[in-house]
Amino acid sequence: MAAAVEPHRDCPLCPRLHGFIAEWRAREPGWHNAPVPSFLPLQGEDAVRLLVVGLAPGLRGANRTGRPFTGDYAGDLLYSTLKRFGFARGEFQARPDDGLELVETAITNAVRCVPPENKPVGAEIATCRQFLVPTIDRFPRLEAIVTLGAIAHQSTVRALGQRVAALPFRHGARHAVGGITLFPSYHCSRYNTNTGRLTEAMFVDVFSAVRETLG
Ligand code: SF4
């Protein structure tokens, strides 16, 4: 049987994250509070040529709204940049029903459940890779993956069956793996933009390179 692409809503494989979500279900019953599914274009998985891999849902972002990068700052920069290069269209209003559409692009997270302090531990990253591997495999036309931050990058490299030492994380690098090009980028978190580690121009340059590659 093929591996599951999306975890069950009550996935218990990471006890710490399962417990953290249970706490938030009690505190905020109106929130999503579950593994966050990948965001796909309306045309479906066969249309996807670019995959964006984030780290994990933010507590008040995707964990609240149920859509990757929706509801906190990181989404503002990501979706405006995707729109700029034609990878998304419509109005991003930080709500899952805002009508924003992805174009030949999908978005997922290396870890599907919200971790305390935005910090998954190694075992959680490794365990959730069982969903990242079939997520990458489900797109027959995939040509490019943007990995946001070192953890997402390394987990993606492992999911592709490659050695991390051979394909290191470096903002702005490009790595070819078979027919796929990896584009590592610093994560578009508020922390990274506030500290200047990632400027909007640096982020735009990554997606400009992706557009150049995909044509
Ligand atoms: S992080 Fe992934 S593997 Fe762990 S409990 Fe959540 S969905 Fe399951």
Side-chain angles (χ1 to χ4, degrees):
M1 206 173 79
V5 172
E6 296 295 340
H8 186 274
R9 184 175 160 79
D10 291 311
C11 181
L13 295 175
C14 304
R16 186 181 76 117
L17 305 187
H18 190 63
F20 188 57
I21 282 180
E23 268 174 43
W24 279 94
R25 282 184 182 175
R27 284 171 73 166
E28 295 287 352
W31 288 10
H32 175 72
N33 285 321
V36 173
S38 304
F39 184 17
L40 302 185
L42 287 179
Q43 293 73 18
E45 59 194 17
D46 289 356
V48 172
R49 298 169 69 210
L50 165 64
L51 175 64
V52 177
V53 182
L55 169 59
L59 179 63
R60 290 178 173 75
N63 176 64
R64 176 174 60 85
T65 65
R67 192 177 73 178
F69 290 91
T70 299
D72 56 15
Y73 171 82
D76 294 348
L77 181 53
L78 176 63
Y79 287 113
S80 67
T81 308
L82 288 173
K83 279 177 62 171
R84 178 170 176 161
F85 290 97
F87 296 118
R89 63 180 164 230
E91 200 60 41
F92 175 67
Q93 293 175 350
R95 293 181 285 107
D97 60 353
D98 56 13
L100 181 100
E101 284 178 33
L102 296 177
V103 181
E104 298 186 333
T105 299
I107 305 176
T108 196
N109 281 308
V111 174
R112 301 296 191 96
C113 292
V114 57
E117 312 290 323
N118 288 328
K119 289 191 179 115
V121 300
E124 293 158 354
I125 299 161
T127 301
C128 209
R129 199 172 304 125
Q130 68 192 272
F131 299 107
L132 182 59
V133 170
T135 295
I136 293 171
D137 283 349
R138 71 189 291 194
F139 305 121
R141 295 177 62 215
L142 190 63
E143 293 173 58
I145 304 179
V146 172
T147 53
L148 297 177
I151 291 175
H153 179 74
Q154 290 165 4
S155 197
T156 301
V157 168
R158 291 192 171 104
L160 289 165
Q162 304 295 311
R163 286 173 47 249
V164 166
L167 306 173
F169 175 81
R170 185 170 56 79
H171 179 90
R174 291 188 207 185
H175 300 298
V177 181
I180 297 173
T181 307
L182 294 182
F183 295 83
S185 168
Y186 288 128
H187 194 284
C188 48
S189 64
R190 188 187 287 278
Y191 178 82
N192 278 349
T193 51
N194 278 352
T195 57
R197 173 178 282 183
L198 178 72
T199 63
E200 187 177 342
M202 287 165 67
F203 200 59
V204 162
D205 282 349
V206 170
F207 284 89
S208 172
V210 174
R211 177 45 84 201
E212 210 172 277
T213 299
L214 296 193

